[in-house]
Amino acid sequence: MTAVTEALSAEPERHRIHLDPFVSDLEGESAALRAAGPLAAVMLPGDVPVWAVTHHAEAKKLLTDPRIVKDINVWGAWQRGEIAPDWPLIGLANPGRSMLTVDGADHRRLRGLVAQALTPRRVERMRERIAELTDGLLDRVAEQAAEDGTVDLKAVFAYPLPMYVIADLMGLDEAILPRLKVLFEKFFSTQTPPEEVLATLTELGGIMADAVARKRENPGDDLTSGLIQASEDGDRLTDQEIVSTLQLMVAAGHETTISLIVNAVRNLSAHPEQRELVLSGEADWSAAVEETLRWSTPTSHVLIRFATEDVPVGDKVLPAGDALIVSFAAIGRDEQAHGPSANEFDLTRETAARHISFGHGPHVCPGAALSRLEAGVALPALYTRFPGLDLAVAPGELRNKPVVTQNDLYELPVRLHS
């Protein structure tokens, strides 16, 4: 290790930006990360030091740099035993072998096999089912609203829709969804007690393994069966690869879309002039989806990549063996990418499509099309049914969940009519 690498690895704690485990001010935290430069020294909850890429251009470069890999065994802190097995974020840093955690030829192999199952045609076939689920849930929203028209839109609509969709897509038994809700909340939370971390991971793995075993016995027209059947030149996914892939896709497939719907409603309520653009037809709903993805991205930080050698980033160096997170919440408002009005929510913005909120490069999110489809069906249906929908509380009263990877709320209280 060079002297400069040693100096950078030993970056004084006072110079590190401590990510707030309670996410009390994500906007302020993201601004501080951007101001620290394209490569910021960060402390994750649990006092785990990492680096964060916080600018758009540098993020695109690093996300396609072969020197930045997903193999946790490259991480010096992991090799030295400094990362506790019950660290609350261990399931995100080391989620098991899947296309998320390998690179190069192994990644191409796994992603290619997954692509055989998650085809554009399969996603598009979900449109009618998403519309059907949306209509049924909007009926429930109306039924469960109080006399004054208030209801928790997240609990009744934004949460169940993506969960039902991913269950349908993966062929999961809807009876297990309430338990998965509890487990995934523990999986993502920074506040999960250490004694529950490994138990949560074990139970999630067991549920997914049971789902795979059932589909081996009784395959259907679903993605889990497709993963089992996918092959290339006789090569197939192993059971463990299928289990890890299934867990990854269920976790990412519902959490991202929940946050996308929640944040779109929050943004449109906080910016009534922008809401009027889509309600009047002056702006397309796809613009609302893309600007939400940029301005208040569902995934605030993605964990975690590792440098195989010293990598220059701006005027700093990402040292070999150190860990890197991608701070999408900071990146989405980078003025160098989105202009001097980057901090404004604007549906007429021409640069919105340039955001990288679903990632970039080989590991770009394979479920991006499905998430966009769900939001693109759900949001216009919601406002068609309830055109006067608005927040029932001041925006400052909304409570962020203690999840450093997701830009999410505990609840979304709305009033369905003025």
Side-chain angles (χ1 to χ4, degrees), residues 9 33 45 87 124 126 156 171 201 294 314 332 386 397 400 403:
S9 292
L33 286 167
W87 180 41
E124 183 57 32
M126 293 295 295
V156 185
L201 295 175
R294 180 199 72 84
F386 309 112
E397 295 180 38
N400 291 330
V403 181

Side-chain angles (χ1 to χ4, degrees), residues 23-43:
V23 198
S24 54
D25 181 15
L26 178 59
E27 190 169 329
E29 183 177 271
S30 298
L33 286 167
R34 279 193 305 278
L39 187 69
V42 166
M43 190 74 78

Side-chain angles (χ1 to χ4, degrees), residues 124-414:
E124 183 57 32
R125 285 205 329 250
M126 293 295 295
R127 182 182 294 274
E128 185 176 341
R129 178 59 174 152
I130 292 168
E132 178 186 333
L133 288 167
T134 295
D135 287 344
L137 288 171
L138 290 176
D139 290 341
R140 191 183 303 177
V141 167
E143 292 166 1
Q144 296 196 15
E147 289 186 10
D148 64 354
T150 58
V151 66
D152 179 359
L153 192 69
K154 180 181 178 183
V156 185
F157 182 69
Y159 173 80
L161 176 61
M163 205 61 185
Y164 285 139
V165 169
I166 203 69
D168 254 28
L169 182 67
M170 307 305 294
L172 299 180
D173 184 348
E174 289 187 4
I176 68 172
L177 297 187
R179 184 57 185 165
L180 285 180
K181 181 178 187 294
V182 173
L183 292 172
F184 277 121
E185 285 183 350
K186 292 181 179 181
F187 177 83
F188 284 105
S189 177
T190 61
Q191 302 303 299
T192 301
E195 64 273 14
E196 295 182 18
V197 171
L198 294 179
T200 297
L201 295 175
T202 299
E203 186 174 352
L204 273 172
I207 289 174
M208 301 304 167
D210 288 346
V212 172
R214 285 197 299 272
K215 288 300 175 182
R216 281 201 183 278
E217 290 294 324
N218 296 289
D221 184 19
D222 55 76
L223 192 52
T224 303
S225 299
L227 291 172
I228 293 169
Q229 296 161 6
S231 66
E232 184 175 349
D233 297 328
D235 182 23
R236 292 184 181 272
L237 293 164
T238 67
D239 276 5
Q240 185 53 56
E241 288 168 343
I242 295 171
V243 167
S244 295
T245 299
L246 179 58
Q247 181 169 314
L248 162 67
M249 299 190 76
V250 173
H254 80 280
E255 282 290 340
T256 299
T257 309
I258 293 168
S259 298
L260 175 54
I261 294 171
V262 165
N263 289 332
V265 172
R266 175 169 58 170
N267 295 343
L268 292 171
S269 296
H271 302 85
E273 76 290 349
Q274 299 296 314
R275 181 178 59 201
E276 182 56 31
L277 290 178
V278 285
L279 293 182
S280 67
E282 294 181 60
D284 194 81
W285 279 104
S286 63
V289 171
E290 296 306 320
E291 182 68 343
T292 294
L293 286 166
R294 180 199 72 84
W295 194 75
S296 52
T297 179
T299 304
S300 43
H301 307 283
V302 163
L303 311 185
I304 204 165
R305 290 167 167 81
F306 314 98
T308 58
E309 60 183 81
D310 291 357
V311 180
V313 183
D315 61 354
K316 296 182 181 178
V317 173
L318 173 62
D322 275 15
L324 177 76
I325 68 173
V326 184
S327 293
F328 287 113
I331 291 165
R333 301 197 191 184
D334 182 359
E335 291 187 1
Q336 294 180 353
H338 300 290
S341 65
N343 218 34
E344 299 175 11
F345 182 73
D346 180 7
L347 301 189
T348 66
R349 182 182 307 279
E350 294 182 359
T351 62
R354 292 172 50 196
H355 71 77
I356 56 170
S357 296
F358 282 117
H360 179 72
H363 287 279
V364 67
C365 177
L370 179 62
S371 187
R372 284 185 165 106
L373 175 60
E374 289 180 64
V377 170
L379 289 169
L382 172 66
Y383 283 92
T384 297
R385 184 81 67 97
F386 309 112
L389 183 146
D390 207 347
L391 290 180
V393 299
E397 295 180 38
L398 297 172
R399 301 184 303 149
N400 291 330
K401 293 183 71 175
V403 181
V404 298
T405 56
Q406 298 298 126
N407 181 10
D408 198 6
L409 300 173
Y410 276 106
E411 63 278 309
L412 184 65
V414 301

